[in-house]
Amino acid sequence: MNALVALCHFCELHGPRTLFCTEALHPPSPSPPQPGQSISGERERDVDREGEGLTMRAHSSATQRADMCEGCRSLPASHPGFVSVDNETGIRFLSHQHPRQPQLFSVVRQACVRSLSCEVCPGREGPIFFGDEQHGFVFSHTFFIKDSLARGFQRWYSIVMVAMDRIYLINSWPFLLRHLRLTIQSLQSTALKASHQISATHP
């Protein structure tokens, strides 16, 4: 694992929960093509086969968590997840509510809890860095989203990036901060519009 990105949410019923995560899966060394078979065709079949296996393992990880309500589940329990491929690098990305590996499940779970309970900056919104060699290092950005149906009319989220390489994560800080802020601003703007529409229809 170079790094793993996750969206976390503080559920009013169950506390901190991971809603969605994406991890990079680097391709194995290429094997020579069979006679009469193109390299691209072999690569596509490899991706298809491995994608099927990855989504099945992701489904197995997701079913470990039964104590979820509608507000802290992003995908149905039967959903296999998503596999996307960067054609330039050959790197595959697996996305699901939880990581496919049990050890990563524990690491992301701890990062989620810490990002929404104790490792927060003044005002509770903004970026922060924490972690250690054992559980990995975390870049976390917490934020609120308006919700007229929530307690206090807002919900608390965080986007975390988890990596074992502290230097890599620190060097990525400016890039991460810039793009996460754009993502968060887009989410907040969309939620604010939806909240205004709900208020208008339910005076």
Side-chain angles (χ1 to χ4, degrees):
M1 176 191 74
N2 283 344
L4 186 149
V5 181
L7 173 65
C8 308
H9 168 232
F10 193 92
C11 176
E12 295 177 353
L13 297 177
H14 302 107
R17 286 290 183 268
T18 303
L19 286 180
F20 204 72
C21 66
T22 298
E23 55 184 307
L25 303 165
H26 295 277
S29 300
S31 57
Q34 299 296 322
Q37 184 173 20
S38 67
I39 295 178
S40 60
E42 175 70 18
R43 182 177 301 164
E44 289 174 0
R45 270 184 285 279
D46 285 343
V47 169
D48 290 341
R49 286 195 297 268
E50 294 176 10
E52 291 175 0
L54 292 173
T55 51
M56 290 176 64
R57 289 196 292 272
H59 167 60
S60 177
S61 296
T63 55
Q64 296 177 22
R65 309 301 295 179
D67 56 335
M68 291 185 181
C69 64
E70 184 178 354
C72 57
R73 180 183 295 281
S74 61
L75 295 174
S78 60
H79 197 288
F82 303 93
V83 176
S84 54
V85 182
D86 185 333
N87 292 327
E88 294 185 2
T89 63
I91 298 175
R92 298 179 307 283
F93 296 89
L94 174 63
S95 300
H96 206 281
Q97 180 149 0
H98 302 293
R100 66 191 179 98
Q101 300 177 14
Q103 61 268 32
L104 289 183
F105 181 96
S106 177
V107 168
V108 173
R109 171 63 180 164
Q110 184 179 70
C112 171
V113 172
R114 293 182 65 178
S115 72
L116 293 171
S117 60
C118 54
E119 304 289 353
V120 296
C121 56
R124 301 180 73 186
E125 286 189 287
I128 197 168
F129 182 89
F130 59 89
D132 53 52
E133 297 286 348
Q134 180 180 359
H135 301 100
F137 298 94
V138 181
F139 173 92
S140 170
H141 198 304
T142 52
F143 59 100
F144 289 101
I145 285 185
K146 296 293 184 183
D147 186 344
S148 59
L149 302 179
R151 183 183 306 167
F153 303 106
Q154 60 184 7
R155 297 187 186 275
W156 199 20
Y157 293 84
S158 68
I159 298 177
V160 300
M161 182 170 183
V162 186
M164 301 307 295
D165 189 337
R166 178 176 60 89
I167 301 302
Y168 168 77
L169 203 53
I170 291 176
N171 289 340
S172 301
W173 181 289
F175 173 85
L176 293 173
L177 184 60
R178 180 170 65 254
H179 288 279
L180 287 185
R181 280 180 172 169
L182 290 174
T183 300
I184 291 169
Q185 288 171 2
S186 176
L187 291 173
Q188 291 174 329
S189 176
T190 301
L192 188 60
K193 292 177 182 177
S195 181
H196 286 162
Q197 290 175 355
I198 294 175
S199 299
T201 57
H202 298 84

PDB file of all heavy atoms in Angstrom, residues 18-38:
ATOM      1  N   THR A  18     -16.520   4.666   8.349  1.00  0.00           N
ATOM      2  CA  THR A  18     -15.927   4.840   7.029  1.00  0.00           C
ATOM      3  C   THR A  18     -17.019   4.667   5.981  1.00  0.00           C
ATOM      4  O   THR A  18     -17.715   3.643   5.965  1.00  0.00           O
ATOM      5  CB  THR A  18     -14.818   3.802   6.780  1.00  0.00           C
ATOM      6  OG1 THR A  18     -13.840   3.908   7.812  1.00  0.00           O
ATOM      7  CG2 THR A  18     -14.154   4.035   5.434  1.00  0.00           C
ATOM      8  N   LEU A  19     -17.173   5.668   5.120  1.00  0.00           N
ATOM      9  CA  LEU A  19     -18.210   5.608   4.097  1.00  0.00           C
ATOM     10  C   LEU A  19     -17.706   5.046   2.778  1.00  0.00           C
ATOM     11  O   LEU A  19     -18.422   4.329   2.081  1.00  0.00           O
ATOM     12  CB  LEU A  19     -18.781   7.003   3.843  1.00  0.00           C
ATOM     13  CG  LEU A  19     -19.711   7.582   4.901  1.00  0.00           C
ATOM     14  CD1 LEU A  19     -20.179   8.964   4.486  1.00  0.00           C
ATOM     15  CD2 LEU A  19     -20.911   6.671   5.145  1.00  0.00           C
ATOM     16  N   PHE A  20     -16.471   5.382   2.427  1.00  0.00           N
ATOM     17  CA  PHE A  20     -15.960   4.991   1.112  1.00  0.00           C
ATOM     18  C   PHE A  20     -14.443   5.090   1.135  1.00  0.00           C
ATOM     19  O   PHE A  20     -13.889   5.996   1.758  1.00  0.00           O
ATOM     20  CB  PHE A  20     -16.521   5.918   0.024  1.00  0.00           C
ATOM     21  CG  PHE A  20     -16.540   5.313  -1.351  1.00  0.00           C
ATOM     22  CD1 PHE A  20     -17.439   4.317  -1.678  1.00  0.00           C
ATOM     23  CD2 PHE A  20     -15.658   5.748  -2.328  1.00  0.00           C
ATOM     24  CE1 PHE A  20     -17.475   3.766  -2.946  1.00  0.00           C
ATOM     25  CE2 PHE A  20     -15.675   5.212  -3.600  1.00  0.00           C
ATOM     26  CZ  PHE A  20     -16.586   4.210  -3.921  1.00  0.00           C
ATOM     27  N   CYS A  21     -13.766   4.160   0.486  1.00  0.00           N
ATOM     28  CA  CYS A  21     -12.306   4.239   0.426  1.00  0.00           C
ATOM     29  C   CYS A  21     -11.810   3.716  -0.918  1.00  0.00           C
ATOM     30  O   CYS A  21     -12.471   2.892  -1.567  1.00  0.00           O
ATOM     31  CB  CYS A  21     -11.662   3.465   1.577  1.00  0.00           C
ATOM     32  SG  CYS A  21     -11.922   1.694   1.527  1.00  0.00           S
ATOM     33  N   THR A  22     -10.666   4.211  -1.322  1.00  0.00           N
ATOM     34  CA  THR A  22     -10.034   3.805  -2.575  1.00  0.00           C
ATOM     35  C   THR A  22      -8.571   3.503  -2.317  1.00  0.00           C
ATOM     36  O   THR A  22      -7.864   4.295  -1.699  1.00  0.00           O
ATOM     37  CB  THR A  22     -10.159   4.909  -3.639  1.00  0.00           C
ATOM     38  OG1 THR A  22     -11.545   5.143  -3.918  1.00  0.00           O
ATOM     39  CG2 THR A  22      -9.454   4.512  -4.923  1.00  0.00           C
ATOM     40  N   GLU A  23      -8.109   2.345  -2.786  1.00  0.00           N
ATOM     41  CA  GLU A  23      -6.710   1.971  -2.633  1.00  0.00           C
ATOM     42  C   GLU A  23      -6.127   1.622  -3.996  1.00  0.00           C
ATOM     43  O   GLU A  23      -6.812   1.110  -4.877  1.00  0.00           O
ATOM     44  CB  GLU A  23      -6.564   0.789  -1.678  1.00  0.00           C
ATOM     45  CG  GLU A  23      -7.386  -0.426  -2.057  1.00  0.00           C
ATOM     46  CD  GLU A  23      -7.279  -1.539  -1.041  1.00  0.00           C
ATOM     47  OE1 GLU A  23      -6.138  -1.931  -0.712  1.00  0.00           O
ATOM     48  OE2 GLU A  23      -8.330  -2.017  -0.573  1.00  0.00           O
ATOM     49  N   ALA A  24      -4.848   1.921  -4.164  1.00  0.00           N
ATOM     50  CA  ALA A  24      -4.153   1.625  -5.415  1.00  0.00           C
ATOM     51  C   ALA A  24      -3.587   0.220  -5.362  1.00  0.00           C
ATOM     52  O   ALA A  24      -3.015  -0.203  -4.360  1.00  0.00           O
ATOM     53  CB  ALA A  24      -3.039   2.639  -5.642  1.00  0.00           C
ATOM     54  N   LEU A  25      -3.732  -0.496  -6.461  1.00  0.00           N
ATOM     55  CA  LEU A  25      -3.216  -1.853  -6.574  1.00  0.00           C
ATOM     56  C   LEU A  25      -2.277  -1.892  -7.770  1.00  0.00           C
ATOM     57  O   LEU A  25      -2.715  -1.822  -8.917  1.00  0.00           O
ATOM     58  CB  LEU A  25      -4.368  -2.843  -6.772  1.00  0.00           C
ATOM     59  CG  LEU A  25      -5.424  -2.799  -5.665  1.00  0.00           C
ATOM     60  CD1 LEU A  25      -6.684  -3.515  -6.112  1.00  0.00           C
ATOM     61  CD2 LEU A  25      -4.884  -3.414  -4.399  1.00  0.00           C
ATOM     62  N   HIS A  26      -0.990  -1.984  -7.506  1.00  0.00           N
ATOM     63  CA  HIS A  26      -0.009  -1.913  -8.585  1.00  0.00           C
ATOM     64  C   HIS A  26       0.024  -3.216  -9.366  1.00  0.00           C
ATOM     65  O   HIS A  26      -0.110  -4.300  -8.791  1.00  0.00           O
ATOM     66  CB  HIS A  26       1.363  -1.585  -8.011  1.00  0.00           C
ATOM     67  CG  HIS A  26       1.416  -0.234  -7.381  1.00  0.00           C
ATOM     68  ND1 HIS A  26       1.621   0.918  -8.108  1.00  0.00           N
ATOM     69  CD2 HIS A  26       1.239   0.166  -6.099  1.00  0.00           C
ATOM     70  CE1 HIS A  26       1.601   1.962  -7.295  1.00  0.00           C
ATOM     71  NE2 HIS A  26       1.360   1.522  -6.072  1.00  0.00           N
ATOM     72  N   PRO A  27       0.232  -3.126 -10.689  1.00  0.00           N
ATOM     73  CA  PRO A  27       0.169  -4.323 -11.533  1.00  0.00           C
ATOM     74  C   PRO A  27       1.370  -5.232 -11.310  1.00  0.00           C
ATOM     75  O   PRO A  27       2.462  -4.757 -10.962  1.00  0.00           O
ATOM     76  CB  PRO A  27       0.186  -3.737 -12.949  1.00  0.00           C
ATOM     77  CG  PRO A  27       0.921  -2.446 -12.808  1.00  0.00           C
ATOM     78  CD  PRO A  27       0.539  -1.913 -11.452  1.00  0.00           C
ATOM     79  N   PRO A  28       1.197  -6.550 -11.483  1.00  0.00           N
ATOM     80  CA  PRO A  28       2.335  -7.469 -11.410  1.00  0.00           C
ATOM     81  C   PRO A  28       3.224  -7.328 -12.636  1.00  0.00           C
ATOM     82  O   PRO A  28       2.873  -6.641 -13.603  1.00  0.00           O
ATOM     83  CB  PRO A  28       1.657  -8.843 -11.369  1.00  0.00           C
ATOM     84  CG  PRO A  28       0.377  -8.633 -12.108  1.00  0.00           C
ATOM     85  CD  PRO A  28      -0.057  -7.222 -11.771  1.00  0.00           C
ATOM     86  N   SER A  29       4.365  -7.988 -12.614  1.00  0.00           N
ATOM     87  CA  SER A  29       5.264  -7.953 -13.762  1.00  0.00           C
ATOM     88  C   SER A  29       4.570  -8.581 -14.962  1.00  0.00           C
ATOM     89  O   SER A  29       3.939  -9.642 -14.835  1.00  0.00           O
ATOM     90  CB  SER A  29       6.550  -8.708 -13.455  1.00  0.00           C
ATOM     91  OG  SER A  29       7.198  -8.122 -12.348  1.00  0.00           O
ATOM     92  N   PRO A  30       4.682  -7.954 -16.147  1.00  0.00           N
ATOM     93  CA  PRO A  30       3.972  -8.483 -17.316  1.00  0.00           C
ATOM     94  C   PRO A  30       4.527  -9.834 -17.747  1.00  0.00           C
ATOM     95  O   PRO A  30       5.731 -10.079 -17.671  1.00  0.00           O
ATOM     96  CB  PRO A  30       4.209  -7.402 -18.374  1.00  0.00           C
ATOM     97  CG  PRO A  30       5.469  -6.714 -17.949  1.00  0.00           C
ATOM     98  CD  PRO A  30       5.458  -6.747 -16.447  1.00  0.00           C
ATOM     99  N   SER A  31       3.650 -10.722 -18.188  1.00  0.00           N
ATOM    100  CA  SER A  31       4.068 -12.022 -18.699  1.00  0.00           C
ATOM    101  C   SER A  31       4.080 -11.980 -20.217  1.00  0.00           C
ATOM    102  O   SER A  31       3.314 -11.228 -20.829  1.00  0.00           O
ATOM    103  CB  SER A  31       3.111 -13.110 -18.206  1.00  0.00           C
ATOM    104  OG  SER A  31       1.788 -12.798 -18.594  1.00  0.00           O
ATOM    105  N   PRO A  32       4.950 -12.772 -20.855  1.00  0.00           N
ATOM    106  CA  PRO A  32       5.012 -12.741 -22.321  1.00  0.00           C
ATOM    107  C   PRO A  32       3.708 -13.219 -22.928  1.00  0.00           C
ATOM    108  O   PRO A  32       3.065 -14.145 -22.409  1.00  0.00           O
ATOM    109  CB  PRO A  32       6.157 -13.708 -22.644  1.00  0.00           C
ATOM    110  CG  PRO A  32       6.278 -14.573 -21.433  1.00  0.00           C
ATOM    111  CD  PRO A  32       5.890 -13.708 -20.270  1.00  0.00           C
ATOM    112  N   PRO A  33       3.278 -12.610 -24.036  1.00  0.00           N
ATOM    113  CA  PRO A  33       2.012 -13.010 -24.668  1.00  0.00           C
ATOM    114  C   PRO A  33       2.099 -14.399 -25.272  1.00  0.00           C
ATOM    115  O   PRO A  33       3.168 -14.849 -25.681  1.00  0.00           O
ATOM    116  CB  PRO A  33       1.802 -11.931 -25.734  1.00  0.00           C
ATOM    117  CG  PRO A  33       3.188 -11.471 -26.063  1.00  0.00           C
ATOM    118  CD  PRO A  33       3.957 -11.544 -24.769  1.00  0.00           C
ATOM    119  N   GLN A  34       0.965 -15.088 -25.341  1.00  0.00           N
ATOM    120  CA  GLN A  34       0.891 -16.390 -25.977  1.00  0.00           C
ATOM    121  C   GLN A  34       0.909 -16.219 -27.494  1.00  0.00           C
ATOM    122  O   GLN A  34       0.530 -15.168 -28.016  1.00  0.00           O
ATOM    123  CB  GLN A  34      -0.401 -17.110 -25.538  1.00  0.00           C
ATOM    124  CG  GLN A  34      -0.485 -17.370 -24.040  1.00  0.00           C
ATOM    125  CD  GLN A  34       0.598 -18.309 -23.575  1.00  0.00           C
ATOM    126  OE1 GLN A  34       0.938 -19.265 -24.275  1.00  0.00           O
ATOM    127  NE2 GLN A  34       1.166 -18.039 -22.408  1.00  0.00           N
ATOM    128  N   PRO A  35       1.375 -17.233 -28.221  1.00  0.00           N
ATOM    129  CA  PRO A  35       1.392 -17.122 -29.695  1.00  0.00           C
ATOM    130  C   PRO A  35       0.015 -16.789 -30.240  1.00  0.00           C
ATOM    131  O   PRO A  35      -0.982 -17.401 -29.869  1.00  0.00           O
ATOM    132  CB  PRO A  35       1.837 -18.529 -30.135  1.00  0.00           C
ATOM    133  CG  PRO A  35       2.593 -19.073 -28.969  1.00  0.00           C
ATOM    134  CD  PRO A  35       1.929 -18.500 -27.742  1.00  0.00           C
ATOM    135  N   GLY A  36      -0.010 -15.797 -31.105  1.00  0.00           N
ATOM    136  CA  GLY A  36      -1.261 -15.405 -31.728  1.00  0.00           C
ATOM    137  C   GLY A  36      -2.133 -14.514 -30.878  1.00  0.00           C
ATOM    138  O   GLY A  36      -3.259 -14.217 -31.238  1.00  0.00           O
ATOM    139  N   GLN A  37      -1.597 -14.075 -29.711  1.00  0.00           N
ATOM    140  CA  GLN A  37      -2.400 -13.241 -28.814  1.00  0.00           C
ATOM    141  C   GLN A  37      -1.714 -11.906 -28.627  1.00  0.00           C
ATOM    142  O   GLN A  37      -0.506 -11.854 -28.383  1.00  0.00           O
ATOM    143  CB  GLN A  37      -2.577 -13.927 -27.468  1.00  0.00           C
ATOM    144  CG  GLN A  37      -3.473 -13.161 -26.513  1.00  0.00           C
ATOM    145  CD  GLN A  37      -3.746 -13.959 -25.264  1.00  0.00           C
ATOM    146  OE1 GLN A  37      -3.014 -14.888 -24.942  1.00  0.00           O
ATOM    147  NE2 GLN A  37      -4.798 -13.617 -24.579  1.00  0.00           N
ATOM    148  N   SER A  38      -2.481 -10.803 -28.718  1.00  0.00           N
ATOM    149  CA  SER A  38      -1.886  -9.481 -28.568  1.00  0.00           C
ATOM    150  C   SER A  38      -1.654  -9.167 -27.104  1.00  0.00           C
ATOM    151  O   SER A  38      -2.313  -9.707 -26.224  1.00  0.00           O
ATOM    152  CB  SER A  38      -2.819  -8.417 -29.183  1.00  0.00           C
ATOM    153  OG  SER A  38      -4.005  -8.333 -28.432  1.00  0.00           O
TER     154      SER A  38
END
